[in-house]
C-alpha cells in the first residue's frame, strides 16, 4: 500500500505529460452525477493509496472498468502535487488514466461518505437520491417563486437594499429607497424563512457562500444571481441573528454591462458641483497617484469611483482593472474581477482570493487600478507599491473625513508611514462623501410655510442662506415620488425622489502635505478650512466640508433641512466648528 509522501514531483516519470492529463471529464455538481466505478483507490476500508488527512475530503481516485481510473477533486485541488501523485500511483498499478473530474466540496464529501458501498448498493442509493433531489426542487419552487416576486416588486420600487426582519412569528420586509427606510409588507415568519433557506442553499453562488447551507443562527454571506424581466442582478446577501429572530439584508446590484453608463455615471448627475467635477477630473488626469474616497456604508463611494473609471474607459487608451467584492457596475473597457473575500479573519494570504488577485494585479500590465477597499496591511502595501511604480489607483477607505483618510492609512491596522504617503506623487485627491435624499420637485413645500421662524433664523444667521429659497419635503409625498403600494413614513418628510452626493474634495498642496506628514492634523484642518473664500450658497467648494456642499444644495431648494440635520447634526453644533476655526 502506497502512502503519499510529504513532497512529490508534480511531473510524471520521464517528463512526458500524457494527453489524458488534460482530459476534463466534466464538473460533477450533484452526487447522482458521479460515474459508476469498480472500486475507490483512496478511501474505504482498504484503500490502495493513502492520503494525508488534510486531503481526504478534497480528492479521490476511482478505478473504472477496463483497467482505467480517474481523479475527482475540488477545482482548487486539480493539478496539485497530490493530484499528480495519485495519477502516478494509478499508472504504477498498471491502470490507464482516463482523465479527471471536478466537483464541489459538498458533493465530493457525500460521495466519499458512501465509498464503502458496493456499486450495486450505490446504484440503489443513487436512485433514492435522484428522487430526493427532484422532490427538494419541487418543494423549494414555491419559496423561490415567492422570493422572485418579492425582489421584482422591490426593484420596481427602486430599492437599493431589501431588509427581511424576522421577529418571533412575523417577518417584516422593508426597503431602502432614496436613502430612507420604507415599510413594504409583513408575512408569516415561516414563509420568509423557507424562502431564505431555499435561495441561500440552491441559488447562491457556491464559492461565495460563507457556509454550505442556510443557518439562521449564524452570520452568513453570499452572492445570489437573479434574472428579473430579462435583466441580470446580483444580490449581496448578509444575514445575522437578532434578539427574537434574525435579519437578512440584500444589496441589489445590476450586473449587466451598462451601455448607458456614460449618462448614469456622470459626476454632475451624481450631484457633484462643477468645481468638484473639475477637481476630480484634474486628479484623474495625473499619470499616477491615488484617489481615496471615504464615507459610511451606503454613501455611494463605489458609484463615485465607477464614474471616474467610466471617464478613463471612454478614452480607450489605458488598461483598467478593477478588483471588487462584488462588482457593482460593469463598465465597457474595464476588466472587472469580482472576488469574494475569504470568510472570517483568515491569516493566510494564499487562501484569500481577494489578496491573491491584488498581488496578481501588478503582473497584468495595468495602467489604472481600482481596489474595492483598503482595509488591512496587505491591501495597503499593494496599493502603495502600485502607486510607487507609476500606476493610477482608485480605492475606498473607512474614515470620518477627507483629511482623516491620512490618519486611517497611517493607523496601526493599516500601517503605512505618514512621510511616505504625504507626497504629491502619492495623493491625487482625498474625498469624503454622504448621500442625502432630494426633495421631490413636484410636491416640495416652501420652508417658510412649515418651519418655525427661529429654526430658519439659524440658517440665515450662521450660514447666511436666503431662507425664502429653502424647501422641505412634503410629509406623504405625491404620485410622482410615492408608489401606491409603499407605506407612509411615520415621521413625515417622505416627499423625496432620488439622492444627491454631499462631498468634500481635497487636492492637497505642499503646505497641507507638510502638516499631515508631521502629524499636525489640527493645523492641516485649519489650513484647509481657511482656504474657503466663497459663501455657502456658492458652488465653489474650496475649503468646505461635505456639509458645506449640502448647504449649497439646500440653498438651491434641493434638500430638506430635516434630512440635512439627520445626516450632519444640528446647525448649532456646526456653528461651534466655525467659531473654533475663526478664533483658533
Amino acid at each position: 500500500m502506497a502512502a503519499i509522501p510529504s513532497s512529490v514531483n508534480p511531473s510524471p516519470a520521464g517528463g512526458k505529460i500524457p494527453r489524458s492529463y488534460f482530459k476534463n471529464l466534466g464538473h460533477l455538481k450533484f452526487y447522482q452525477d458521479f460515474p459508476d466505478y469498480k472500486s475507490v483507490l483512496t478511501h474505504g476500508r482498504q484503500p490502495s493509496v493513502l492520503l494525508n488527512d488534510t486531503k481526504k475530503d478534497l480528492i479521490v481516485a476511482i478505478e473504472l472498468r477496463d483497467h482505467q481510473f480517474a481523479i475527482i477533486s475540488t477545482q482548487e485541488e486539480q493539478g496539485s502535487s497530490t493530484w499528480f501523485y495519485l495519477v502516478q500511483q494509478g499508472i504504477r498499478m498498471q491502470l490507464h488514466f482516463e482523465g479527471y473530474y471536478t466537483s464541489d466540496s459538498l458533493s465530493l464529501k457525500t460521495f466519499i461518505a458512501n465509498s464503502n458501498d458496493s456499486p450495486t448498493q450505490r446504484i440503489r442509493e443513487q436512485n433514492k437520491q435522484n428522487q430526493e433531489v427532484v422532490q427538494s426542487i419541487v418543494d423549494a419552487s414555491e419559496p423561490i417563486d415567492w422570493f422572485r416576486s418579492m425582489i421584482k416588486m422591490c426593484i420596481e420600487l427602486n430599492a437599493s437594499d431589501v431588509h427581511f426582519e424576522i421577529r418571533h412569528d412575523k417577518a417584516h420586509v422593508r426597503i431602502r429607497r432614496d436613502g430612507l427606510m420604507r415599510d413594504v409588507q409583513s408575512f408569516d415568519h415561516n414563509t420568509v424563512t423557507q424562502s431564505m433557506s431555499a435561495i441561500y442553499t440552491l441559488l447562491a453562488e457556491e464559492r461565495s457562500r460563507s457556509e454550505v447551507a442556510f443557518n439562521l443562527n449564524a452570520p452568513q454571506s453570499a452572492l445570489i444571481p437573479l434574472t428579473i424581466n430579462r435583466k441580470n442582478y446580483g444580490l449581496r446577501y448578509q444575514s445575522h441573528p437578532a434578539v427574537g429572530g434574525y435579519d437578512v439584508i440584500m444589496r441589489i446590484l445590476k450586473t449587466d454591462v451598462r451601455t448607458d453608463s456614460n449618462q448614469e455615471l456622470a459626476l454632475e448627475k451624481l450631484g457633484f458641483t462643477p468645481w468638484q467635477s473639475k477637481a476630480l477630473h484634474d486628479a484623474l488626469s495625473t499619470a499616477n497617484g491615488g484617489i481615496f474616497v471615504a464615507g459610511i456604508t451606503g454613501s455611494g463611494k463605489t458609484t463615485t469611483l465607477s464614474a471616474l473609471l467610466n471617464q478613463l474607459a471612454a478614452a480607450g487608451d489605458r488598461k483598467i482593472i478593477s478588483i471588487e467584492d462584488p462588482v457593482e457596475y460593469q463598465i465597457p473597457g474595464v476588466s472587472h474581477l469580482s472576488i469574494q473575500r475569504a470568510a472570517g479573519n483568515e491569516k493566510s494570504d494564499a487562501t484569500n482570493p481577494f489578496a491573491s488577485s491584488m498581488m496578481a494585479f501588478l503582473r497584468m500590465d495595468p495602467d489604472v487600478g481600482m481596489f474595492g477597499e483598503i482595509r488591512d496591511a496587505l491591501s495597503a502595501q499593494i496599493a502603495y507599491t502600485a502607486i510607487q511604480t507609476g500606476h493610477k489607483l482608485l480605492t475606498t477607505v473607512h474614515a470620518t473625513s477627507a483629511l482623516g483618510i491620512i490618519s486611517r492609512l497611517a493607523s496601526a491596522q493599516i500601517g503605512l508611514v505618514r512621510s511616505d504617503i504625504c507626497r504629491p506623487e502619492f495623493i491625487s485627491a482625498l474625498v469624503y462623501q454622504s448621500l442625502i435624499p432630494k426633495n421631490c420637485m413636484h410636491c416640495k413645500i416652501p420652508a417658510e410655510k412649515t418651519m418655525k421662524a427661529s429654526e430658519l433664523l439659524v440658517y440665515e444667521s450662521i450660514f447666511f442662506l436666503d431662507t425664502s429659497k429653502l424647501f422641505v419635503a412634503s410629509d406623504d409625498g405625491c404620485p410622482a415620488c410615492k408608489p401606491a403600494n409603499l407605506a407612509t413614513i411615520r415621521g413625515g418628510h417622505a416627499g423625496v425622489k432620488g439622492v444627491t452626493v454631499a462631498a468634500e474634495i481635497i487636492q492637497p498642496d505642499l503646505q497641507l502635505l507638510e502638516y499631515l506628514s508631521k502629524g499636525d492634523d489640527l493645523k492641516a484642518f485649519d489650513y484647509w478650512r481657511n482656504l474657503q473664500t466663497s459663501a455657502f450658497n456658492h458652488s465653489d467648494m474650496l475649503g468646505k466640508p461635505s456639509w458645506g456642499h449640502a448647504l449649497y444644495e439646500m440653498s438651491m431648494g434641493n434638500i430638506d433641512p430635516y434630512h440635512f440635520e439627520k445626516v450632519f447634526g444640528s446647525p448649532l453644533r456646526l456653528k461651534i466648528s466655525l467659531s473654533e476655526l475663526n478664533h483658533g
Side-chain angles (χ1 to χ4, degrees):
M1 183 184 301
I4 186 169
S6 58
S7 177
V8 299
N9 180 5
S11 301
K16 297 180 180 179
I17 302 177
R19 289 181 180 273
S20 57
Y21 274 41
F22 305 103
K23 186 176 181 181
N24 187 340
L25 301 176
H27 182 74
L28 307 173
K29 190 171 183 180
F30 301 106
Y31 172 72
Q32 65 269 17
D33 294 335
F34 280 65
D36 291 332
Y37 61 92
K38 185 177 180 180
S39 66
V40 177
L41 303 176
T42 50
H43 295 75
R45 296 182 180 90
Q46 294 181 326
S48 301
V49 182
L50 294 179
L51 289 173
N52 292 331
D53 290 341
T54 57
K55 301 291 185 178
K56 285 185 176 179
D57 290 338
L58 305 177
I59 191 168
V60 62
I62 58 173
E63 181 183 0
L64 307 172
R65 290 181 173 84
D66 300 325
H67 300 287
Q68 296 178 335
F69 77 103
I71 305 295
I72 308 174
S73 71
T74 61
Q75 291 177 324
E76 294 78 6
E77 196 64 28
Q78 193 272 321
S80 67
S81 296
T82 302
W83 187 92
F84 275 105
Y85 178 75
L86 291 183
V87 174
Q88 292 175 358
Q89 290 301 310
I91 293 173
R92 289 171 182 170
M93 295 168 65
Q94 305 300 311
L95 299 175
H96 173 73
F97 183 44
E98 176 64 14
Y100 66 89
Y101 297 91
T102 57
S103 175
D104 63 87
S105 57
L106 178 60
S107 298
L108 190 57
K109 287 178 182 178
T110 304
F111 175 81
I112 293 170
N114 290 279
S115 62
N116 288 328
D117 298 336
S118 68
T120 303
Q121 290 174 319
R122 183 174 171 276
I123 290 172
R124 294 198 196 100
E125 179 67 20
Q126 179 173 311
N127 290 334
K128 179 182 177 182
Q129 294 234 356
N130 281 336
Q131 295 175 356
E132 291 175 350
V133 169
V134 171
Q135 186 59 48
S136 68
I137 293 175
V138 171
D139 293 341
S141 62
E142 186 174 342
I144 290 177
D145 285 345
W146 178 88
F147 176 77
R148 287 181 183 275
S149 64
M150 180 57 58
I151 294 299
K152 180 176 181 292
M153 180 179 70
C154 293
I155 289 173
E156 291 171 347
L157 291 173
N158 292 323
S160 62
D161 304 82
V162 184
H163 292 238
F164 298 89
E165 301 168 349
I166 295 83
R167 299 293 184 273
H168 304 294
D169 60 343
K170 287 291 183 182
H172 305 284
V173 179
R174 301 201 295 162
I175 64 172
R176 186 173 297 279
R177 170 192 161 103
D178 301 327
L180 304 178
M181 292 300 299
R182 309 293 296 267
D183 293 327
V184 178
Q185 283 181 267
S186 295
F187 300 90
D188 177 79
H189 77 100
N190 286 327
T191 299
V192 176
T193 297
Q194 289 173 10
S195 173
M196 296 301 104
S197 177
I199 61 104
Y200 181 91
T201 305
L202 296 178
L203 296 187
E205 291 183 353
E206 179 188 346
R207 298 182 67 180
S208 75
R209 289 182 294 194
S210 56
E211 293 185 67
V212 172
F214 173 77
N215 183 357
L216 58 84
N217 295 313
Q220 293 186 308
S221 60
L223 185 65
I224 300 170
L226 206 64
T227 300
I228 302 291
N229 293 337
R230 298 183 180 180
K231 293 183 178 181
N232 296 321
Y233 297 88
L235 306 178
R236 192 170 65 191
Y237 176 108
Q238 181 64 56
S239 69
H240 204 286
V243 176
Y246 65 98
D247 278 18
V248 176
I249 298 92
M250 298 186 192
R251 169 69 55 86
I252 300 174
L253 308 174
K254 298 176 182 178
T255 57
D256 284 323
V257 174
R258 310 305 301 278
T259 56
D260 56 350
S261 60
N262 285 331
Q263 180 181 1
E264 289 200 7
L265 294 178
L267 290 172
E268 291 80 2
K269 189 175 179 65
L270 299 179
F272 290 99
T273 70
W275 184 95
Q276 291 174 325
S277 296
K278 182 180 184 303
L280 288 173
H281 178 76
D282 290 346
L284 201 63
S285 63
T286 57
N288 58 357
I291 298 177
F292 302 87
V293 182
I296 64 171
T297 301
S299 60
K301 300 184 295 294
T302 301
T303 304
T304 296
L305 292 184
S306 297
L308 297 176
L309 283 188
N310 186 65
Q311 286 189 13
L312 290 173
D317 57 353
R318 296 191 187 185
K319 175 69 174 183
I320 305 173
I321 298 173
S322 81
I323 304 174
E324 302 169 68
D325 174 27
V327 172
E328 295 192 24
Y329 292 92
Q330 290 191 53
I331 301 170
V334 176
S335 297
H336 292 283
L337 310 184
S338 185
I339 307 297
Q340 176 72 20
R341 288 187 189 266
N345 298 317
E346 296 202 30
K347 302 296 183 183
S348 172
D349 297 341
T351 59
N352 189 328
F354 201 95
S356 299
S357 293
M358 292 181 76
M359 288 188 286
F361 166 78
L362 295 176
R363 299 191 294 271
M364 298 175 70
D365 190 28
D367 294 300
V368 181
M370 179 176 122
F371 294 171
E373 180 188 345
I374 293 180
R375 66 165 65 177
D376 51 30
L378 173 67
S379 54
Q381 284 297 328
I382 296 174
Y384 177 79
T385 301
I387 294 174
Q388 290 297 98
T389 52
H391 299 85
K392 195 73 186 175
L393 186 69
L394 288 67
T395 188
T396 69
V397 180
H398 278 296
T400 56
S401 66
L403 291 176
I405 292 172
I406 300 299
S407 297
R408 173 64 174 167
L409 293 176
S411 66
Q413 184 179 4
I414 303 297
L416 295 179
V417 180
R418 273 184 179 259
S419 59
D420 289 341
I421 62 178
C422 293
R423 297 176 177 273
E425 66 270 17
F426 186 83
I427 299 174
S428 297
L430 304 172
V431 182
Y432 179 84
Q433 66 179 63
S434 302
L435 290 180
I436 306 179
K438 292 172 59 179
N439 291 335
C440 173
M441 295 296 104
H442 296 276
C443 62
K444 66 179 183 178
I445 302 170
E448 292 178 334
K449 289 187 176 181
T450 61
M451 293 180 65
K452 297 178 181 178
S454 58
E455 294 173 331
L456 291 172
L457 182 62
V458 172
Y459 290 99
E460 183 179 3
S461 61
I462 298 176
F463 305 117
F464 307 105
L465 300 185
D466 182 353
T467 56
S468 67
K469 295 182 179 179
L470 303 188
F471 283 79
V472 300
S474 64
D475 281 342
D476 297 330
C478 67
C481 62
K482 180 198 169 189
N485 54 342
L486 197 60
T488 300
I489 295 180
R490 290 183 290 273
H493 300 272
V496 296
K497 188 171 184 180
V499 293
T500 188
V501 70
E504 178 180 26
I505 300 175
I506 301 176
Q507 290 179 276
D509 59 19
L510 293 178
Q511 181 62 69
L512 184 60
L513 289 173
E514 183 179 351
Y515 287 137
L516 292 171
S517 178
K518 293 178 179 179
D520 292 334
D521 290 351
L522 290 179
K523 287 185 178 179
F525 173 80
D526 288 346
Y527 176 78
W528 163 247
R529 291 293 304 278
N530 276 307
L531 294 177
Q532 177 184 345
T533 57
S534 64
F536 284 111
N537 62 355
H538 195 279
S539 62
D540 182 345
M541 292 295 140
L542 180 64
K544 295 178 184 177
S546 56
W547 55 261
H549 183 189
L551 284 174
Y552 167 71
E553 292 293 337
M554 188 191 304
S555 73
M556 302 289 289
N558 297 330
I559 291 178
D560 186 334
Y562 170 84
H563 292 305
F564 170 86
E565 294 183 24
K566 280 188 66 176
V567 176
F568 297 107
S570 164
L572 294 176
R573 181 68 185 88
L574 299 177
K575 177 184 178 181
I576 295 175
S577 67
L578 289 175
S579 300
E580 291 175 346
L581 178 65
N582 294 329
H583 300 92

